[in-house]
Amino acid sequence: MALPQVPDYIVSSVFDLTPEKLTRMGKTLVLADLDNTLARYGEKTASAALLNWKEELEQAGIQIYIVSNSRKPTRAKRFSESFGVSFVGHSGKPGTKGFLRALKETGKNRQQALMVGDQIFTDIWGAHNAGVLAVLTQPIALDNLFRRLRYLVETPFRALCPHKEGLE
Ligand SMILES: [Mg+2]
């Protein structure tokens, strides 16, 4: 198998995960990172575009579940409530705890799920540790030096990804 840090797909944003593509792939559960994947750091509530996307997915029988590493006690909770989805906060990615909890709570198996997130060493590695398909999204904003450096460090793993042009 390829290195567990190499994403299976790269998309430009979560909106590339359309109901049609997900259904074709047999996916009924989207596990999603929060910060820089669904919203900018500090953005407290879900945008109208996100709510619209969730609605489309739900109509196709596809559920969204947030798996966030945020250590701020209310961050994931408040955002998830505004988005109308379940969540696990302080999930310990790349550990598998949060992924396993999400699968258990939703009653889905690994094959029915995919993970989307903006970071290699938490979202992608964690998804593969849990046996889940891993989709890397471009971060919404690289708005500080630390995030830009981290993005640079992740470059080789993006380069090794076999599908860089989104879901098929
Ligand atoms: Mg993130």
Side-chain angles (χ1 to χ4, degrees), residues 73-148:
T74 58
R75 167 64 171 143
K77 183 172 191 289
R78 191 182 295 175
F79 187 89
S80 302
E81 280 170 3
S82 80
F83 196 19
V85 305
S86 299
F87 75 100
V88 48
H90 205 157
S91 67
K93 293 173 287 184
T96 58
K97 182 184 71 175
F99 293 94
L100 298 182
R101 182 165 140 192
L103 292 172
K104 191 176 174 195
E105 273 189 22
T106 56
K108 308 275 185 183
N109 62 40
R110 293 171 165 77
Q111 288 73 32
Q112 293 170 304
L114 66 68
M115 172 70 192
V116 61
D118 69 298
Q119 280 185 53
I120 295 284
F121 297 106
T122 52
D123 305 316
I124 302 305
W125 197 0
H128 283 153
N129 284 338
V132 170
L133 191 85
V135 179
L136 183 74
T137 180
Q138 291 296 338
I140 294 172
L142 291 172
D143 48 7
N144 70 31
L145 181 63
F146 172 71
R147 286 172 199 146
R148 283 196 290 277

Side-chain angles (χ1 to χ4, degrees), residues 33-37 41 118-119 123:
D33 171 52
L34 171 49
D35 288 312
N36 243 353
T37 295
Y41 283 89
D118 69 298
Q119 280 185 53
D123 305 316

Side-chain angles (χ1 to χ4, degrees), residues 7-13 16-17 21 135-136 138 158-159 161-168:
D8 298 295
Y9 294 89
I10 298 176
V11 297
S12 54
S13 85
D16 287 3
L17 277 60
K21 290 176 185 171
V135 179
L136 183 74
Q138 291 296 338
R158 280 195 301 274
C161 175
H163 305 103
K164 300 187 187 66
E165 309 295 327
L167 299 185
E168 282 148 357

